[in-house]
């Protein structure tokens, strides 16, 4: 094998490791929600306590994401990835041993910190070193993780045992961390010059970067739409469309499968279609599908097909928005803008989606598709403005 072929092989091998690492990001995300009905009985807490746990995880994720550029300046990406995945895996295993709710809140801290650090570091590494198609493929592996986690938990719940689910998923994360550790020689070493790109940019300065605020609101709305579908779609299908509990539960799974498929397709078509065009195709598909979802049909399968289409439409948006940061911002701005995008994105889940839930609780969940349509419309407006901005290459 000549030197060029060997370098290509090693680059592909590292890419496979990064994809596997992104499965680790998705595995814990829907784990607690799928097990909560049994967990809360075991710990003797109310249904609403899940919200407290979620808030702690997302506060920690926001803190970790915000400070990710500082970590990237101090440490190599491979070390941040390894430690974060191992940290998260150990936290899940310890969660299987708790017998008080406060202990659950304590271990929520490393869960949130680990997720934020993995997300920013790997997104930044791929943006700098690989093509747009690889970014979409990487995010599709998150979809695999977020679908596999509840599936593992569902298996252990069939034996009325949620703790084993946490042990299995935690052990898988430890295994993935070991794979990352063994791959250390494959990673490109970030030079002091590259680390200098992560020099601290004050918040006030970052917000003045052209297009930065617009992009942050795009992430806010997109993550809000994604979480509206993941959190509330099953309740809507059960309460409004009359699906059975088990069938309604498949609505969220259908969405996540569509999301994963959308990201895989985005990676495939990235060879021929530019990232900006993939984003525009995705948001157009979401808009059409949400309108179709509002239509009233006495045909359950119709709604599941539309939910899958919404997921496919969502697929290209997040990874391609991450990748085009390379076009819109200077090298020393990318990691900071990216961290702010993720921080604001977390707020879409942690603030906007609970507010929507409050609206459904006070008025009616029948408003759900109209909230989805309103959020999509605002996202379309923000994206159309952002796409008109000049890139660094055109300045």
């Amino acid at each position: 094998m000549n030197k060029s072929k060997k370098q290509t092989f090693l680059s592909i091998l590292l890419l496979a490791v990064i994809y596997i690492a992104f499965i680790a990001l998705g595995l814990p995300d829907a784990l607690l929600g799928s097990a909560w009905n049994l967990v809360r009985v075991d710990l003797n807490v109310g249904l609403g306590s899940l919200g407290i746990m979620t808030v702690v995880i997302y506060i920690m994720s926001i803190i970790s994401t915000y400070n990710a550029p500082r970590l990237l300046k101090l440490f190599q990406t491979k070390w941040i990835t390894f430690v974060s995945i191992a940290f998260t895996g150990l936290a899940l295993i310890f969660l299987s041993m708790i017998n008080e709710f406060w202990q659950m809140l304590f271990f929520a801290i490393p869960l949130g910190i680990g997720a934020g650090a993995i997300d920013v570091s790997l997104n930044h590494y791929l943006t700098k070193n690989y093509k747009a198609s690889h970014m979409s493929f990487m995010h599709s592996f998150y979809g695999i993780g977020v679908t596999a986690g509840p599936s593992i938990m569902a298996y252990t719940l069939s034996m009325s045992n949620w703790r084993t689910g946490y042990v299995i998923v935690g052990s898988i994360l430890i295994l993935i961390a070991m794979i990352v550790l063994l791959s250390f020689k494959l990673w490109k070493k970030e030079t002091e010059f590259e680390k200098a790109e992560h020099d601290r940019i004050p918040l006030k300065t970052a917000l003045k970067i052209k297009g930065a605020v617009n992009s942050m609101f795009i992430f806010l709305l997109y993550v809000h739409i994604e979480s509206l579908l993941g959190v509330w779609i099953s309740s809507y299908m059960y309460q409004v469309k009359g699906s059975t509990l088990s069938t309604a539960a498949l609505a969220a799974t259908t969405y996540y499968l569509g999301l994963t498929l959308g990201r895989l397709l985005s990676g495939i078509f990235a060879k021929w279609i530019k990232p900006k065009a993939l984003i525009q195709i995705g948001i157009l598909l979401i808009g059409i599908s949400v309108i179709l979802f509002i239509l009233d049909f006495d045909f359950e399968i119709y709604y599941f097909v539309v939910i899958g289409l919404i997921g496919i439409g969502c697929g290209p948006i997040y990874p391609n928005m991450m990748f085009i940061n390379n076009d819109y911002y200077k090298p020393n701005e990318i990691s900071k803008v990216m961290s702010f995008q993720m921080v604001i994105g977390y707020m879409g889940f942690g603030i906007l989606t609970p507010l929507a839930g409050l609206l459904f609780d006070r008025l009616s969940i029948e408003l759900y598709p109209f909230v989805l349509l309103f959020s999509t419309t605002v996202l379309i407006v923000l994206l159309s403005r952002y796409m008109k901005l000049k890139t660094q290459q055109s300045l």
Side-chain angles (χ1 to χ4, degrees):
M1 186 182 295
N2 61 43
K3 189 174 181 181
S4 178
K5 287 184 177 179
K6 183 178 180 181
Q7 286 177 336
T8 301
F9 172 74
L10 294 177
S11 179
I12 293 171
L13 189 60
L14 174 58
L15 201 57
V17 172
I18 292 172
Y19 289 166
I20 292 169
F22 228 67
I23 293 177
L25 183 64
L27 273 169
D29 271 13
L31 207 57
L32 185 58
S34 60
W36 186 244
N37 285 322
L38 185 58
V39 174
R40 69 184 184 86
V41 171
D42 205 1
L43 299 182
N44 194 27
V45 294
L47 182 67
S49 298
L50 177 59
I52 302 172
M53 176 73 171
T54 303
V55 167
V56 173
I57 290 173
Y58 276 88
I59 288 174
M60 291 301 108
S61 295
I62 286 171
I63 292 171
S64 176
T65 302
Y66 180 79
N67 288 288
R70 296 179 184 180
L71 289 175
L72 287 167
K73 184 175 173 59
L74 293 172
F75 305 105
Q76 297 286 318
T77 301
K78 59 188 179 184
W79 275 107
I80 296 172
T81 305
F82 164 69
V83 172
S84 298
I85 295 174
F87 210 42
T88 306
L90 288 171
L92 290 173
I93 292 171
F94 280 115
L95 271 167
S96 72
M97 306 175 189
I98 64 168
N99 49 36
E100 299 286 347
F101 182 63
W102 69 264
Q103 295 169 334
M104 177 168 275
L105 295 180
F106 177 79
F107 288 112
I109 295 172
L111 282 180
I113 291 173
I118 297 168
D119 208 357
V120 177
S121 58
L122 290 182
N123 273 293
H124 183 267
Y125 191 88
L126 244 76
T127 299
K128 299 290 288 183
N129 297 291
Y130 288 93
K131 297 178 181 178
S133 59
H134 298 136
M135 181 70 84
S136 291
F137 286 137
M138 182 180 77
H139 280 269
S140 71
F141 277 79
Y142 168 83
I144 292 170
V146 81
T147 304
S151 300
I152 293 168
M153 184 58 76
Y155 171 73
T156 62
L157 287 175
S158 66
M159 298 178 285
S160 299
N161 189 340
W162 63 270
R163 296 177 187 273
T164 303
Y166 270 92
V167 172
I168 292 172
V169 175
S171 299
I172 292 172
L173 261 66
I174 296 296
L175 176 61
I176 292 173
M178 292 302 105
I179 292 172
V180 172
L181 182 63
L182 291 172
S183 74
F184 268 20
K185 288 185 178 180
L186 301 175
W187 293 72
K188 177 185 174 184
K189 185 177 180 180
E190 288 116 337
T191 63
E192 291 303 315
F193 176 76
E194 289 172 316
K195 286 184 178 183
E197 293 178 356
H198 305 296
D199 282 342
R200 185 176 177 273
I201 299 176
L203 175 59
K204 189 176 180 180
T205 303
L207 294 177
K208 289 181 180 179
I209 297 171
K210 191 173 183 179
V213 173
N214 194 346
S215 74
M216 291 172 201
F217 277 104
I218 288 170
F219 278 86
L220 176 72
L221 265 296
Y222 170 73
V223 174
H224 171 53
I225 290 169
E226 190 175 295
S227 60
L228 269 176
L229 288 154
V231 173
W232 292 109
I233 192 69
S234 295
S235 297
Y236 177 79
M237 291 300 295
Y238 174 68
Q239 295 184 38
V240 178
K241 296 303 178 183
S243 299
T244 64
L245 276 171
S246 56
T247 303
L250 290 174
T253 302
T254 301
Y255 166 70
Y256 282 120
L257 287 173
L259 179 71
T260 304
L261 177 60
R263 287 178 176 170
L264 284 170
L265 290 173
S266 174
I268 292 168
F269 287 111
K271 294 179 181 179
W272 304 283
I273 305 173
K274 292 182 178 180
K276 288 173 71 171
L278 286 169
I279 293 168
Q280 290 165 332
I281 292 168
I283 192 61
L284 181 63
L285 182 56
I286 295 171
I288 293 170
S289 301
V290 169
I291 292 170
L292 292 174
F293 188 71
I294 291 174
L295 301 178
D296 190 19
F297 288 98
D298 189 22
F299 190 46
E300 194 173 54
I301 295 176
Y302 166 83
Y303 291 101
F304 278 84
V305 171
V306 173
I307 291 165
L309 288 174
I310 296 173
I312 292 172
C314 287
I317 295 176
Y318 194 99
N320 284 289
M321 278 296 298
M322 279 289 165
F323 190 81
I324 63 175
N325 283 328
N326 217 30
D327 298 328
Y328 280 89
Y329 308 108
K330 298 174 184 176
N332 67 317
E333 297 171 342
I334 292 174
S335 65
K336 196 61 179 178
V337 172
M338 193 178 284
S339 70
F340 280 129
Q341 288 169 342
M342 291 184 185
V343 166
I344 300 298
Y346 281 128
M347 292 179 183
F349 181 93
I351 297 175
L352 292 188
T353 300
L355 284 175
L358 185 63
L359 178 69
F360 303 149
D361 190 44
R362 294 291 178 88
L363 297 177
S364 171
I365 199 169
E366 290 185 10
L367 293 171
Y368 172 77
F370 299 100
V371 172
L372 200 54
L373 179 61
F374 175 76
S375 301
T376 302
T377 303
V378 177
L379 180 59
I380 290 171
V381 173
L382 290 171
L383 275 170
S384 64
R385 287 179 57 189
Y386 191 65
M387 295 300 166
K388 292 176 183 176
L389 294 175
K390 290 184 177 180
T391 61
Q392 285 295 313
Q393 288 82 350
S394 61
L395 291 175

